[in-house]
Amino acid sequence: MRLRTLTALAGALTLSLVTGCAQGGGTGASSNTVTYWLWDANQLPAYQACAKGFEKENPGLDVRITQLGWSDYWTKLTAGFIAGTQPDVFTDHIQNFGQFADLKVLEPLDDLGIDDSAYQPGLAANWIGKDGHRYGAPKDWDTVALFYNARMTADAGLTPEELNSLSWNPEDGGTFEKAIARLTIDRNGRRGDEPGFDRHHVKVYGLATGGGGYGDGQTQWSNFAASAGWDYLDKARWGTKYQYDSRIFQSVIKWYFGLAKKGYMPPLTDYNVQSNQQNTQVAAGKAATAFDGAWMISTYAGFKGKDIRTALTPVGPTGKRATMMNGLADSITKASKNKAGARKWVSYLASDACQKVVGRYGVVFPATPAGTEAAVAAYRKKRIDVSAFTEPVADNKRFRTFSYPIASYSADMTALMQPAMEDIYGNGKPVSSLDETNDQINLILSQ
């Protein structure tokens, strides 16, 4: 659900606008049909149920849903903008929103009457463009927590209460690093906090790796950086300067990737975005814990023979815990052939009528409070405790929630930060090298 998009997106769309190719309508669109694309197969049944409710309330309108895998989704959507085969409505990701809005391929939604207070805090405001127009209707939200193998943590002498009271700092890692060290076991059975531990031959790592984290570090280092008081940009939304040159940020990154040097986290070479993500490492018993998003709750709960639970992100130097709170939205394409029907469908998707239905499937947290409550109840029926994800949203005194960085040229930022972070993680390049990368990103952003 929250992996990576194509860095060629901006160039491809720019070319389409220059050459005038993007002139057609959505695939299969008509005055009686609304075409809708999403990528998450787990959510498809919930939205098929919403479509039935919508069609009942809107006789004569049919919703045609297409589900595509993550990579295919963005490839075909980009191609659709160029060739005129895009859908009427699609599930939008904040990572791409800035460039979609800049390239004017989205339809303004100001007339839908979206009220910020009707959704979880911050979700609606994130979809307002630099021009002041709305381009997305809130769909769902997610936060990040620490998944852990309960048997492994018990064997290490760590209780659930201890795991939920961890703290960290960039100097010695605090009780969080001590816990991760304790959970790490080498091939001779020695733990990471015991004499003779062999960091070069590790059997079980204390913390799974999610790779370098690109420029957002959502399920890698973002909670540490934010709980240390750092922000991606000089403004919460549509900032003009990234801050990867911050001494605070660089101290966090040096410590975080240093966990791999100590043998507590796998080397970069162990990570593969397709075949060896955090959840795969935990499922295989190669890692005891992993930071991951709420969209992965059902995946971890489904690991046979393993009791996987969740704990809150650790308290940082600011005295608060932190987690990225991301949220998807539904957007209408500028070239939609059925904008009237698309508007009705997006309004319905953003309503309690649909969001409570989605919540009852227990796959994602819908954007409205009522939808969230329905999801929590659904997870409870499955005997899954989701409080590590919901508490940060409900308690802003103890938790800091923050958004994915919202700015123009996000694909360019990602293209520059990916190799920069991997060089630090995998090749031992100094964190000070981020100064130059930050200058390059900000030069592009100033255009």
Side-chain angles (χ1 to χ4, degrees):
M1 178 176 166
R2 311 288 197 273
L3 299 177
R4 295 293 130 194
T5 55
L6 302 174
T7 56
L9 174 65
L13 286 179
T14 300
L15 177 62
S16 76
L17 294 177
V18 170
T19 58
C21 295
Q23 298 174 359
T27 55
S30 73
S31 59
N32 298 320
T33 303
V34 177
T35 53
Y36 179 52
W37 286 11
L38 52 79
W39 64 76
D40 191 348
N42 293 327
Q43 293 187 52
L44 179 58
Y47 285 100
Q48 287 173 330
C50 279
K52 289 183 179 179
F54 172 78
E55 290 168 353
K56 187 175 181 179
E57 288 188 13
N58 296 271
L61 273 179
D62 297 316
V63 178
R64 184 179 302 168
I65 301 177
T66 298
Q67 183 269 319
L68 300 163
W70 175 268
S71 296
D72 286 343
Y73 182 88
W74 296 106
T75 299
K76 292 185 178 181
L77 184 62
T78 302
F81 282 131
I82 297 171
T85 56
Q86 69 286 307
D88 294 309
V89 181
F90 70 99
T91 300
D92 206 349
H93 194 292
I94 203 72
Q95 181 182 357
N96 298 322
F97 167 50
Q99 286 176 302
F100 284 158
D102 286 345
L103 294 165
K104 303 186 186 305
V105 294
L106 303 179
E107 179 73 8
L109 305 179
D110 306 289
D111 58 338
L112 295 188
I114 298 295
D115 183 356
D116 286 23
S117 64
Y119 304 93
Q120 298 289 5
L123 295 183
N126 284 348
W127 296 91
I128 302 295
K130 286 187 295 184
D131 59 5
H133 293 296
R134 169 171 299 284
Y135 293 100
K139 180 183 189 69
D140 60 30
W141 62 270
D142 56 72
T143 50
V144 174
L146 183 69
F147 289 87
Y148 65 89
N149 183 311
R151 181 186 63 78
M152 289 183 175
T153 55
D155 288 347
L158 295 168
T159 67
E161 292 74 22
E162 288 174 314
L163 291 168
N164 273 298
S165 60
L166 298 175
S167 61
W168 82 280
N169 65 74
E171 285 75 41
D172 63 16
T175 57
F176 173 80
E177 183 172 325
K178 288 181 180 179
I180 296 305
R182 182 66 183 163
L183 289 165
T184 302
I185 305 173
D186 69 15
R187 64 180 179 182
N188 298 312
R190 295 189 181 91
R191 294 186 178 274
D193 60 355
E194 295 178 338
F197 168 70
D198 183 358
R199 65 187 178 89
H200 298 293
H201 298 93
V202 177
K203 182 179 180 180
V204 178
Y205 291 95
L207 179 66
T209 178
Y214 300 83
D216 61 275
Q218 182 178 13
T219 59
Q220 295 86 10
W221 42 258
S222 70
N223 80 84
F224 297 111
S227 65
W230 177 79
D231 296 294
Y232 294 97
L233 293 150
D234 57 347
K235 293 191 296 184
R237 300 179 182 92
W238 303 111
T240 58
K241 290 182 179 179
Y242 279 95
Q243 302 183 126
Y244 299 116
D245 59 348
S246 159
R247 299 286 82 85
I248 292 177
F249 177 71
Q250 293 182 12
S251 70
V252 172
I253 295 305
K254 182 178 181 180
W255 166 78
Y256 176 74
F257 290 141
L259 295 175
K261 292 183 180 180
K262 295 174 183 177
Y264 306 155
M265 185 171 74
L268 177 62
T269 51
D270 279 21
Y271 178 74
N272 185 290
V273 71
Q274 298 297 333
S275 60
N276 199 30
Q277 299 174 40
Q278 296 102 307
N279 71 93
T280 310
Q281 296 160 42
V282 172
K286 299 296 184 182
T289 72
F291 285 108
D292 220 331
W295 62 92
M296 295 297 293
I297 291 172
S298 296
T299 297
Y300 283 90
F303 293 159
K304 291 184 178 180
K306 289 182 169 57
D307 181 7
I308 307 298
R309 305 182 189 180
T310 51
L312 301 166
T313 57
V315 177
T318 61
K320 283 191 173 186
R321 305 174 189 274
T323 172
M324 181 182 288
M325 183 180 179
N326 197 19
L328 304 181
D330 289 304
S331 295
I332 298 176
T333 58
K334 190 79 171 180
S336 164
K337 281 188 177 180
N338 190 358
K339 290 183 181 179
R343 277 180 159 74
K344 289 182 179 180
W345 172 233
V346 169
S347 292
Y348 189 80
L349 287 168
S351 70
D352 273 339
C354 175
Q355 300 218 351
K356 286 194 290 186
V357 169
V358 174
R360 287 196 286 268
Y361 278 75
V363 176
V364 68
F365 295 115
T368 66
T372 297
E373 290 174 9
V376 172
Y379 282 120
R380 189 181 299 118
K381 286 183 179 179
K382 298 178 183 180
R383 298 184 179 180
I384 299 175
D385 178 11
V386 295
S387 58
F389 299 96
T390 57
E391 280 187 34
V393 180
D395 186 355
N396 60 15
K397 291 183 178 180
R398 294 191 303 127
F399 298 86
R400 178 191 177 192
T401 59
F402 57 95
S403 173
Y404 183 94
I406 300 174
S408 298
Y409 304 106
S410 60
D412 299 275
M413 177 274 286
T414 299
L416 287 167
M417 283 297 290
Q418 178 181 354
M421 298 301 276
E422 290 179 352
D423 267 347
I424 295 169
Y425 183 5
N427 301 321
K429 199 169 184 178
V431 292
S432 58
S433 61
L434 290 172
D435 289 354
E436 181 180 355
T437 305
N438 194 70
D439 288 342
Q440 293 172 334
I441 295 171
N442 286 338
L443 179 61
I444 295 172
L445 197 57
S446 67
Q447 302 302 311

